[in-house]
Amino acid sequence: MRGGGSVSRARVARRIAAGAAYGGGGIGLVGVAAVGLLLAEVQLAKRSVGGGIAPLPPRGDGLYGLAFGREDPLSLGVLGDSTAAGQGVRRAGQTPAALLASGLAAVAERPVDVCNVALAGARSDDLERQVTQLLSDTSRMPDICVIMIGANDVTHRMPPTESVRHLAGAVRRLRTAGAEVVVGTCPDLGTIEPVYQPLRWLARRASRQLAAAQTIVAVEQGARTVSLGDLLGPEFAENPREMFSMDNYHPSAEGYATAAMAMLPTLCAALGLWPETDHLDADRDEDMLPVAKAAATAAREAGTEVTGARAPWALLKHRRRRRIPQESPASTAHGTAEPSSTRATRG
């Protein structure tokens, strides 16, 4: 059941979003001292396993789904921080961009051309540069873009109104350029194992507040969102050693695969790769809610999609996850990529 707590969270998220729209900047997620302490704890957490050093993310740009040829590819742009870049894995095929491209290719039965401009360590104020870089090549204008951002905004004390203002601007530019946009909202920093209570609770609260505000501004600009939450599923809480990489901070290959399986159906829906329906499955806790309430609900339920309906309403959906196809290496004109060799199941 969704009670008063959800209403309160929705109000906070709406205040942050409104502050971004009207130029406010003073609405904080948690106290400055608490966030500063959280940042210190996160840095310690990143150093506590594997020396705090994750391998540099591999380049995942290139053409995927070569089993379907090279002509008329879909164009996928990926923007954001280290999670979008795929830091923590060693093979291009293990990055979110590669996994999502392979899944899209299998469903669309078309090749998918990936341009990943995400930067490890990026905050939302870097999105303007990333969008400019992505749109600079007019021969590769994106059909769909994925943005994954927010964790560094929390740990580096960026005011949430400023954070979501940058996100809204990025989504608006991409939508104006004709791209569909899916935003993976701020992950739950409370899942980082070496961060202890009460900072774990503060981290979770700050992450969810930002995620909800991100959802509001993204949906209002015509994007869809998927809540990354605790990195998309109870698997992370139950199997942290398998789901986190050696630095205990970024996802492992299995973690990214779990995230990609949850995001893929939303990308496919945005591109019209299977029929949309207005039917909401009550058994899956789907609903039509005011956008702020939908955002607050999604922020605490990992893997939840929010998409705009008639204003001020939004659809809250829990789509069935799609298993990502297996891949085999292939060289492409833009780099090393891996085409899908099987088809994803529909249904």
Side-chain angles (χ1 to χ4, degrees):
M1 294 181 64
R2 303 184 180 106
S6 178
V7 172
S8 176
R9 288 186 290 269
R11 286 175 179 165
V12 171
R14 172 54 74 186
R15 284 176 58 218
I16 294 171
Y22 293 104
I27 302 174
L29 293 172
V30 292
V32 173
V35 175
L37 189 56
L38 169 62
L39 175 58
E41 286 262 336
V42 167
Q43 297 305 321
L44 286 172
K46 292 169 70 174
R47 288 196 294 269
S48 67
V49 176
I53 300 173
L56 290 175
R59 294 286 296 172
D61 289 19
L63 198 64
Y64 292 75
L66 293 180
F68 306 110
R70 295 176 177 268
E71 300 298 319
D72 191 28
L74 286 168
S75 180
L76 169 64
V78 180
L79 309 90
D81 55 21
S82 56
T83 303
Q87 189 161 3
V89 298
R90 298 184 180 277
R91 294 176 53 242
Q94 297 170 329
T95 62
L99 293 166
L100 290 171
S102 297
L104 283 176
V107 176
E109 299 184 355
R110 289 172 61 184
V112 176
D113 188 19
V114 173
C115 181
N116 191 339
V117 296
L119 178 67
R123 292 170 288 182
S124 293
D125 56 3
D126 192 54
L127 287 176
E128 182 178 4
R129 181 196 63 80
Q130 293 183 27
V131 173
T132 297
Q133 181 181 346
L134 183 65
L135 299 181
S136 63
D137 185 352
T138 56
S139 67
R140 299 177 72 193
M141 297 301 283
D143 295 298
I144 188 163
C145 294
V146 173
I147 302 175
M148 302 168 72
I149 199 84
N152 296 316
D153 297 18
V154 174
T155 60
H156 288 75
R157 293 173 280 185
M158 176 178 285
T161 50
E162 180 182 344
S163 176
V164 298
R165 187 183 307 124
H166 289 299
L167 176 62
V171 173
R172 183 163 52 248
R173 289 181 65 192
L174 294 170
R175 293 289 292 146
T176 300
E180 298 292 337
V181 180
V182 176
V183 176
T185 56
C186 181
D188 183 354
L189 296 178
T191 62
I192 302 171
E193 278 195 315
V195 175
Y196 301 108
Q197 297 291 11
L199 291 178
R200 184 182 291 267
W201 177 85
L202 289 172
R204 173 161 289 123
R205 178 187 172 201
S207 304
R208 288 182 177 180
Q209 286 182 358
L210 180 56
Q214 287 177 320
T215 297
I216 293 172
V217 299
V219 168
E220 289 179 344
Q221 295 298 328
R224 301 178 188 229
T225 65
V226 177
S227 58
L228 295 187
D230 59 356
L231 293 178
L232 300 174
E235 298 94 335
F236 280 84
E238 295 171 2
N239 302 296
R241 298 301 177 193
E242 289 73 28
M243 291 296 167
F244 283 104
S245 67
M246 64 181 295
D247 68 352
N248 213 34
Y249 184 73
H250 295 97
S252 64
E254 292 82 359
Y256 281 128
T258 299
M261 280 193 294
M263 295 189 74
L264 178 60
T266 298
L267 270 69
C268 292
L271 289 170
L273 295 180
W274 51 62
E276 280 277 50
T277 175
D278 292 332
H279 172 70
L280 297 173
D281 189 344
D283 292 337
R284 296 176 64 81
D285 206 21
E286 296 184 338
D287 206 348
M288 179 181 286
L289 299 168
V291 64
K293 190 171 182 181
T297 301
R300 72 173 192 272
E301 296 179 10
T304 303
E305 175 190 318
V306 179
T307 185
R310 56 185 181 276
W313 301 88
L315 298 176
L316 194 75
K317 292 193 173 185
H318 297 94
R319 296 186 184 273
R320 298 185 186 278
R321 297 184 182 185
R322 313 285 170 172
R323 184 162 295 281
I324 303 297
Q326 296 297 312
E327 302 169 343
S328 56
S331 178
T332 75
H334 302 302
T336 300
E338 303 185 14
S340 56
S341 59
T342 63
R343 297 185 183 182
T345 31
R346 295 185 174 93

